[in-house]
Amino acid sequence: MDDDFDCASLSDAQLIASLKACVEDERRQTVKILKRLNEVERRDLFSKKRYSSMFAFCIGELGYSEGAAARRIHAARAAKNFPLIYRRLSGGSISLTAVSLLAPHLDDENHRGLLDRCAGKSSREIDRILSEFSPRPAPRDSIRHLGTAPSPSEIPGDDASGALPFSGVSDSALTEPQPMSSGGEAGQKDDASSAPPGDPGPKEGERVSVTFSADQRFVDRLERARQLLRHKYPAARFEQVLADALEALLDRVDPFRREARRASKSRLASEQSSDGSQNPARAGVVSGESSGRTIPARLRDAVWIRDEGCCAYIDDEGRRCESRDFLEIDHVVPHALGGSSDDAGNLRLLCRAHNRREAARIFGEEFMRAASDRAARNRISG
Ligand SMILES: [Zn+2]
């Protein structure tokens, strides 16, 4: 409704009073939204739709930004455990952002005191209060677009001859200072920390800043890899070392690459065969007989490739889930009910949420509720 005319006709005092009434209404609506989000999660409705998480649901179905979705999910889960939060939000003594910052730190003993202390405080003040009793959280894993900045090798003074000081916090002059963690999303964890769905990724020539925290063992292995790669990359920048490491990893775990390798081996074998020099051991690599519920490696990879490395769940509106995380191979007819493990037609890729949903459909609602409760407990304790 366009109420511009109404606003313009109000006196100053009426305008302020009307605005305050709207804000109070907004707070009540926020509480209603949090309660409904909790119920949607309890009923697992996001996975009935095409979404693999509440986070994806809030963005795709409700149109929230990533930050807005994360704040509401964290606040809703916290308020479910500590209903006092609903009253404080409704009364305006604490904001949604504040609750999402506090959420990971609240427990039965401290929640009332912390909510009292943080009443009316800014995000930065709340950050300071939280740092008193818990170590500063490690930075979230993140990928930030930098535009078409030059790569470190193009920056004067960072040429290949100069060994990089490893004790520094970054591997190049490109790394920018971290934004204040009081931006309202510091409490993000689990699903909210992944790259935004639908992010097109960097364009050709564009640089990104990748931030994550690691333990000493990771640092030791990174340093060891840098030492071993000095001949290949004298500067041994993190990007070069990790790019090589990722190539080696993907060669091992990526079904598409494994299948390409098998195809090339198979071609080689058939060429040798036509020469009359086939190696029987090599030919055996490409065959795989199923035994029981074990899915032959080659069939497993074929299912990955057919389903394009994406969850194959289609909701009742005909929309396919877009999740590429936590994918598992699912038996359409379960092995326990006589379903085949060596027929691609009985196999498909499903994300964890939809795998669980299918299991619940087949094995019963009780199973689904128990699994959902378990998952919620893990999220809270995790
Ligand atoms: Zn899915």
Side-chain angles (χ1 to χ4, degrees), residues 221-350:
R221 284 179 292 188
L222 181 57
E223 175 67 307
R224 179 72 185 132
R226 292 184 74 229
Q227 291 166 347
L228 294 171
L229 285 173
R230 285 282 188 195
H231 292 297
K232 189 174 176 186
Y233 308 116
R237 288 189 293 109
F238 290 178
E239 180 185 3
Q240 295 166 326
V241 175
L242 291 176
D244 271 21
L246 288 172
E247 274 299 305
L249 174 72
L250 289 173
D251 271 346
R252 188 157 56 82
V253 302
D254 184 346
F256 290 87
R257 291 189 184 206
R258 284 201 299 257
E259 184 56 28
R261 227 170 18 242
R262 283 191 203 101
S264 117
K265 274 182 185 167
S266 169
R267 254 198 321 277
L268 190 66
S270 72
E271 280 166 20
Q272 287 175 342
S273 170
S274 63
D275 291 347
S277 60
Q278 186 186 9
N279 179 343
R282 177 166 286 170
V285 171
V286 297
S287 73
E289 278 299 303
S290 164
S291 61
R293 66 169 298 147
T294 308
I295 303 164
R298 183 164 192 178
L299 187 56
R300 181 173 281 274
D301 290 351
V303 171
W304 268 83
I305 290 161
R306 183 200 63 202
D307 290 348
E308 299 173 318
C310 182
C311 176
Y313 181 85
I314 293 174
D315 71 10
D316 48 15
E317 292 166 54
R319 300 177 306 174
R320 181 171 171 177
C321 175
E322 293 173 358
S323 179
R324 294 178 182 276
D325 297 316
F326 298 111
L327 295 176
E328 297 159 359
I329 297 211
D330 174 65
H331 289 73
V332 178
V333 177
H335 180 72
L337 302 180
S340 167
S341 292
D342 52 11
D343 170 12
N346 190 47
L347 301 170
R348 62 183 163 177
L349 275 186
L350 288 183

